[in-house]
Amino acid sequence: DSGVTQTPKHLITATGQRVTLRCSPRSGDLSVYWYQQSLDQGLQFLIHYYNGEERAKGNILERFSAQQFPDLHSELNLSSLELGDSALYFCASSVGKWGAYEQFFGPGTRLTVL
Amino acid sequence: AQKVTQAQTEISVVEKEDVTLDCVYETRDTTYYLFWYKQPPSGELVFLIRRNSFDEQNEISGRYSWNFQKSTSSFNFTITASQVVDSAVYFCALSEASNQAGTALIFGKGTTLSVSS
């Protein structure tokens, strides 16, 4: 158990809908990262927050947004969902804001868009 | 641009065999970090090791060992006396220290290791 929690574990929804994925980092970690894992794209970085502020953006679509709250939990919002958004979404946390620190991953949320 | 290549897509071995998973990386930074993660069939990503670019010492942890060679930009992972529980997808990853965008992990495509009894 990495100490990172993600809810829900599974999510099934329809095209055009909006969903919110939630992540709670390990105690003491200030950084939260979001990654998407799909068969064709592999593991791709979406976005990084450190202590409530956005630090870096990766291949995140405009239909996707995220935020980190004062209690450090984070939410990833996915809207106008398409079939191709079906994937495993991971949240990871680390203690620092730089890439030097290992990231600990949550169990993931499996999103299925029908 | 940074890149991680895991040329071996799938490897199958029999229990007790040694197996080496290859990882080759590309980066223009002089300071960077390399990682290995394990993804068992249950799906979670488990952190195995982090290596700094300025520390080329090899590392051993039980049956696991890692060989870091800057001259060939490689960070290979060896499992000695493999066991069925080692069956998983293994990912090599890179992060750079020089800029904000480098905080993310850049993953290779992964190597699926199947260990049969």
Side-chain angles (χ1 to χ4, degrees):
Chain A
D1 186 346
S2 66
V4 179
T5 60
Q6 287 187 251
T7 56
K9 193 162 185 177
H10 300 278
L11 200 47
I12 301 174
T13 189
T15 54
Q17 295 299 304
R18 172 189 168 95
V19 297
T20 297
L21 312 184
R22 183 188 168 101
C23 166
S24 292
R26 293 187 320 158
S27 176
D29 284 357
L30 299 178
S31 271
V32 168
Y33 301 79
W34 286 96
Y35 292 86
Q36 179 194 59
Q37 184 177 31
S38 61
L39 280 174
D40 53 344
Q41 297 293 325
L43 269 160
Q44 297 233 323
F45 165 66
L46 296 178
I47 197 162
H48 170 210
Y49 279 86
Y50 176 79
N51 203 20
E53 291 189 6
E54 183 184 302
R55 289 283 297 169
K57 267 186 173 178
N59 298 323
I60 188 165
L61 300 170
E62 284 192 13
R63 301 183 285 108
F64 295 2
S65 65
Q67 54 183 324
Q68 186 180 28
F69 295 87
D71 67 352
L72 301 177
H73 91 272
S74 177
E75 292 180 358
L76 178 67
N77 299 297
L78 316 176
S79 61
S80 303
L81 285 168
E82 302 175 359
L83 296 178
D85 297 327
S86 295
L88 188 51
Y89 291 84
F90 284 108
C91 162
S93 75
S94 71
V95 62
K97 58 183 169 183
W98 301 111
Y101 300 94
E102 51 265 40
Q103 297 179 21
F104 294 92
F105 284 74
T109 292
R110 183 167 295 282
L111 173 67
T112 303
V113 182
L114 301 174
Chain B
Q2 65 269 58
K3 185 180 176 183
V4 176
T5 301
Q6 295 180 255
Q8 304 151 310
T9 306
E10 293 183 22
I11 300 177
S12 294
V13 299
V14 178
E15 253 191 330
K16 297 183 185 173
E17 279 188 45
D18 298 348
V19 57
T20 295
L21 310 182
D22 297 334
C23 173
V24 174
Y25 61 91
E26 293 176 31
T27 177
R28 292 179 183 171
D29 274 22
T30 54
T31 302
Y32 52 89
Y33 306 88
L34 296 164
F35 304 80
W36 276 94
Y37 283 84
K38 174 182 179 180
Q39 187 174 37
S42 51
E44 74 272 24
L45 279 164
V46 179
F47 166 76
L48 295 178
I49 190 171
R50 179 195 68 183
R51 211 80 191 126
N52 306 326
S53 57
F54 42 87
D55 181 4
E56 281 194 78
Q57 274 194 327
N58 291 331
E59 182 150 342
I60 298 174
S61 175
R63 296 184 297 107
Y64 295 172
S65 63
W66 290 269
N67 182 281
F68 175 30
Q69 292 196 339
K70 286 177 78 169
S71 60
T72 55
S73 297
S74 65
F75 185 42
N76 296 337
F77 173 29
T78 297
I79 301 175
T80 302
S82 59
Q83 299 176 2
V84 173
V85 293
D86 296 326
S87 297
V89 182
Y90 290 86
F91 291 95
C92 181
L94 163 74
S95 70
E96 296 170 334
S98 65
N99 55 60
Q100 289 187 355
T103 62
L105 291 173
I106 305 301
F107 284 91
K109 294 289 188 187
T111 297
T112 300
L113 174 65
S114 298
V115 182
S116 57
S117 56

